Structure formats: structure tokens, C-alpha cells
Amino acid sequence: MSEELDTKNELVVAAPESKSLWQAVKPAFAAGVGLFSDGYVNNVIGSVTTCLSLQYGSTWSTSNAKHYVGDIAFAGAVVGQLFFGFLSDKYSRTNTLLISTIILIVFTALATGSYYQGDAVGMFNMLVAWRFFVGVGIGGEYPAGSVACAESTGELKAGTRNTWFIMFTNAAIDWGFVIGALVPYIVAAAAGSDRYETIWRTSLGIGVLFPLILFYLRLSMKEPKEYELNSMKNVQTPYLLALRFYGFRLFIISLIWFMYDFSSYSFGLFSSPILAAVYDDSAPLTTVFGWNTVINLFYIPGAMLGAPLSDKVGPRWALIIGVLAQAIVGFGMAGGYASLAQPSNVGAFAVIYGIFLSLGEVGPGNNIGLLAAKTSATGIRGRYYGIAAAIGKVGAFVGNFVFPYIVALGGDSDVLSAQYPFWVSGALCIVSAILAYFFVPNVTQDTIVEEDKRFREFLLENGVDVSQLGTQAADVEVSGSKEK
């Protein structure tokens, strides 16, 4: 079901159409699940850099590319989120998604084949360059894909909409993290742990398959009803009024996203090195990659089992519960790291570390994108979400840069070097809970409809003509009534 406008510019709701489950969920699935590539691309690079360090030794360790190949995709994602956020509001949700998907396909393939006249350093630099553009494509998935997914869930049954959104967005990212850890393990097991170039190139190349499948699904997508009725495609955006109405809310959500990505992506990228530090230098890649896969599997129950909690108590409270529980586990890991980080205790270490990651998904992992997608009006939603997501990615970039320095604070003590990141992450969780409790609004099943109504009334009060909102400036015949 969806709201429409009568000749008085008031929101009403069209009668629902009868659809099969797949017909109902397909638009949300096709729009949101592209974030799988974000998880895969950003996690697989941890295994790729492990292979490059083993294959090229000091040539890799002394190169500038070593410092950028892991985090350059975050910089590209920021560009993509801001640009495609604007494009998805002013041009088209669906066509913007197709463009970002093509970028992902082309530049993931180019990254796989990175080469520069047989020179290793030149090849490293080409890999960095291609990964920047991969990041741009990933960035487009956030404001266009997640926003279209959120708008499409309005067609689904009330009481399940948040769950569906999380399954098709954050759970997709987490499955990308898992597959991004599993693929290098499978390739290493099949090709041999010493076939480094085969492992990293094949692992990157498999990342082309997912956007190819998605491109096919997206060819038949239509614009979400919310976008058709309330977009600002054909009118000038009142930026100052939008900033006045949503500015503080956007700041809080962006700040929470920054802190979440600061910890989440840093721990994800460094899970292989963390495990390698638990073992001695003789441990084969299959052992390190295998335990890395086990750890990443813990993202899944947090995302999928935590999803219904967002419908049950609302995204705001689900976020608060998740980050407080994660802080407790993080502080516990920091305090008990000396005992946990022993080869004989690697199973216990992986389980507790995995629970730590899983609780992050129950909280901000599941809910920060949901809050960003549903706490603004349709006409500016792509830009609102894009800014919040971009600031989150800046947090990931900063975390990836700062993480080694946090580790270095431990000096020669391996225990202190591993404890400090958990202390920092736990503290950030506490701050996130405080911000969410005091400043984040509650989100209901019909918040998208309600936000459009609130913003429309605000614009009318400030002398803005709202009759031209929507993809077509025409009167709409309306039938049916709102179903609760």
C-alpha cells in the first residue's frame, strides 16, 4: 500500500494490490541486497593484503600502496554516497542503481587484473586506483539502494517491514563479510597455501559475479511508490528549510554511524592479522583464513536474529540494547585478553570475539541504516542518507588509519596492543547508546508516510508550493483507506 495526494495536497493511501510474496519483496530485495558487495569487497581485501605481504615481502611492506589499498575504497565510497545521494533524489532511484552496479562490475574486474608493465610497485598502485572506483560504485548502493529498499518495504505487511529491510541491507553486507572470508580459504585450500597470486586474484575476481546477477534483477525494477508521489525531482530543493527541519537529527545519526564504522570495519579488516598474531609464523594461510571465516560467521546471527527485535521494540531501542551489550563484551575481552590470546584457547577467543561482532550487528549494524532511511522525507531522503552514510564511511577510513596507532600504544606488549582497541570500541558503544537515548526519534512501521506528511506541512507553513512534488505534477485519483 502507499500514500497518494488528493487535489488539496493531503496524504491519503491507495488501495493495496494483491501480490505474491516474491512479487512483494522483489523490489526491496533487488534494491537493497547490492550491499553484499560492500561486505565482500571490504573484507576480502584483508586476505588479499595478507597474500601480498607474503608474496612480495619487503617490496610490499615498504610501498605506499600498503597504506592505502585497504582503505581507499572507503574514500571512493564517500564520493559515491554523496554523488549518488543527489542523483537518486533528482534523477531516479532505479537508474542510479543501474549506474552504480555497472561501476562495480567494471572496476572490480579491473582490480582483479591489476598490472603495470611487470612492475610490482606499479601493480600495487593500479590496484589502489581501481579499488577507489570500486568504492564509488559501492557508495552508490547506499543512498539509492537502501533508500529504495526502505520505500519499497511500505508495500509489505506492517510489523515486518524493519525485518525485511535489515535482511536485504545489513544482513546482505554481513553475508558479504562471511563470503569475503570464506572464498580466500576455499581458494587457498584448493590451490595451495603458497599460491599467493592465485589466491588473491581469484578472490577479488569472484566479486564480479554478485553485481552481474544483481544487474539482471534490477533491469525490471520500477520507481518506489513513495518516490513517484513525493520526490523533488521536478522542483528546486529548499535546502535551508530542510537543514532547519532535519539538520540536528542528521548530525546525531551521522555521528553514531561514524563511531560504528570506526570500530566495525577496523575489526573486520584486521581480523586476519589479529588471528595471525595469536599463531606463530609457521601457521598456514588455510588455518588463519579458516578461523577468520569462523569469526565472520558471527555477524550473521547478530543481523538475522536481531532483525525482528527492530520490529518488536523499534530501531532506536534495538540500537541501544545492542551497543550496551557489545560494550560489556568488549570490556570483558580487553580485561581477559592475556588468557584468551593463546594458541590453545583460539576457539574460545574466536567465539567471544565473534559475539562481540555479533552484538554490533544487533545494535547499530542493523539499525543505523534503517534510522537514516526512515527519519527524513522522501524528497531529500537520498541526500540525507548519503550524507549520513558518507560520514560513517569517513569513520571507517579514520578507524582503518588510526587502528594501527591505537595498537602501537601498547608498545612492546602484545597484550596491551590488543586490549586498547577493545577499550576504545567499548567506550564508543557507551557514547552511541547515550546519543540514541536522548536524541534519536522512535521509528514506527509508517514513519516514512508520517515524515512525508510532517515535512509537507512544514514546507506549506513556510510558503513552499508542494503541488509539484512527485515524478509527475498531476492530480491523482485516490481510492481505498489506510490499513493498520
Side-chain angles (χ1 to χ4, degrees):
M1 71 193 73
S2 61
E3 83 272 18
E4 297 189 3
L5 299 175
D6 64 12
T7 55
K8 297 180 180 179
N9 296 319
E10 294 179 345
L11 288 173
V12 292
V13 177
E17 301 175 11
S18 177
K19 297 180 180 179
S20 68
L21 178 62
W22 172 242
Q23 288 175 322
V25 303
K26 182 182 175 182
F29 173 83
V33 80
L35 291 178
F36 177 96
S37 292
D38 182 23
Y40 183 88
V41 167
N42 283 314
N43 200 30
V44 77
I45 199 65
S47 299
V48 169
T49 55
T50 299
C51 290
L52 290 173
S53 66
L54 292 170
Q55 181 179 358
Y56 292 100
S58 60
T59 304
W60 167 255
S61 62
T62 58
S63 69
N64 289 327
K66 175 190 175 182
H67 303 291
Y68 301 119
V69 72
D71 54 23
I72 194 66
F74 297 138
V78 170
V79 174
Q81 285 161 340
L82 295 174
F83 174 71
F84 286 107
F86 174 84
L87 204 63
S88 69
D89 278 342
K90 300 299 289 183
Y91 171 50
S92 164
R93 300 276 199 252
T94 55
N95 291 334
T96 298
L97 277 173
L98 289 174
I99 294 170
S100 69
T101 308
I102 291 171
I103 291 173
L104 264 176
I105 293 168
V106 171
F107 287 101
T108 301
L110 288 171
T112 302
S114 296
Y115 178 81
Y116 187 79
Q117 300 178 354
D119 177 61
V121 174
M123 184 269 289
F124 299 156
N125 293 333
M126 294 305 298
L127 177 60
V128 170
W130 299 141
R131 274 186 55 79
F132 173 83
F133 290 104
V134 169
V136 172
I138 289 172
E141 294 290 334
Y142 279 82
S146 294
V147 162
C149 180
E151 292 166 351
S152 298
T153 58
E155 304 290 315
L156 303 175
K157 181 181 177 181
T160 66
R161 292 168 185 166
N162 294 339
T163 299
W164 284 115
F165 176 87
I166 291 167
M167 290 296 186
F168 297 151
T169 54
N170 189 55
I173 294 176
D174 291 343
W175 277 111
F177 266 98
V178 171
I179 303 302
L182 179 62
V183 165
Y185 169 77
I186 293 174
V187 176
S193 291
D194 58 345
R195 302 292 297 274
Y196 304 125
E197 186 153 0
T198 299
I199 295 169
W200 72 260
R201 288 192 187 273
T202 303
S203 298
L204 282 179
I206 287 174
V208 177
L209 298 177
F210 314 122
L212 275 173
I213 296 169
L214 199 59
F215 183 78
Y216 172 77
L217 288 175
R218 287 175 170 175
L219 286 174
S220 60
M221 280 183 62
K222 298 179 180 179
E223 300 289 359
K225 289 290 185 182
E226 306 295 337
Y227 182 79
E228 290 181 341
L229 296 168
N230 295 295
S231 78
M232 290 185 171
K233 178 177 181 178
N234 300 312
V235 299
Q236 185 174 359
T237 303
Y239 283 105
L240 290 178
L241 289 175
L243 185 63
R244 179 174 146 198
F245 197 71
Y246 285 119
F248 181 72
R249 180 183 293 183
L250 176 59
F251 170 75
I252 294 298
I253 289 175
S254 300
L255 184 57
I256 294 173
W257 206 332
F258 179 96
M259 291 186 290
Y260 168 66
D261 277 4
F262 179 94
S263 295
S264 176
Y265 280 90
S266 298
F267 277 108
L269 283 170
F270 284 91
S271 56
S272 284
I274 286 171
L275 282 168
V278 173
Y279 289 101
D280 56 39
D281 294 337
S282 63
L285 276 182
T286 49
T287 300
V288 176
F289 288 167
W291 279 109
N292 188 27
T293 303
V294 171
I295 285 175
N296 279 275
L297 278 170
F298 280 91
Y299 283 112
I300 303 304
M304 302 190 72
L305 298 180
L309 182 66
S310 298
D311 277 315
K312 185 72 173 177
V313 303
R316 171 173 167 261
W317 277 106
L319 188 152
I320 293 170
I321 292 168
V323 292
L324 289 177
Q326 188 182 31
I328 293 170
V329 175
F331 290 147
M333 283 202 73
Y337 185 84
S339 299
L340 287 171
Q342 301 294 330
S344 60
N345 293 329
V346 68
F349 176 88
V351 169
I352 298 174
Y353 183 36
I355 291 172
F356 171 80
L357 298 176
S358 185
L359 290 170
E361 300 311 291
V362 173
N366 278 354
N367 296 286
I368 193 61
L370 176 56
L371 288 165
K374 293 193 174 186
T375 54
S376 69
T378 298
I380 62 167
R381 186 169 294 125
R383 282 160 287 185
Y384 178 98
Y385 190 104
I387 291 170
I391 293 174
K393 274 292 184 284
V394 170
F397 184 88
V398 171
N400 194 26
F401 180 78
V402 171
F403 192 95
Y405 292 97
I406 296 174
V407 172
L409 290 175
D412 296 330
S413 172
D414 292 337
V415 173
L416 289 176
S417 295
Q419 284 177 325
Y420 284 151
F422 288 103
W423 288 122
V424 171
S425 181
L428 292 177
C429 286
I430 299 297
V431 174
S432 296
I434 293 171
L435 291 174
Y437 180 80
F438 286 105
F439 302 116
V440 172
N442 288 316
V443 169
T444 69
Q445 297 293 304
D446 296 313
T447 289
I448 286 180
V449 175
E450 295 162 1
E451 284 298 327
D452 282 333
K453 182 177 180 180
R454 287 179 63 243
F455 192 55
R456 182 179 292 272
E457 290 173 349
F458 174 75
L459 294 178
L460 283 170
E461 290 171 0
N462 287 273
V464 177
D465 179 11
V466 298
S467 63
Q468 300 301 304
L469 296 184
T471 54
Q472 295 180 351
D475 292 337
V476 182
E477 291 185 8
V478 180
S479 63
S481 59
K482 190 169 184 178
E483 184 176 280
K484 295 289 186 182

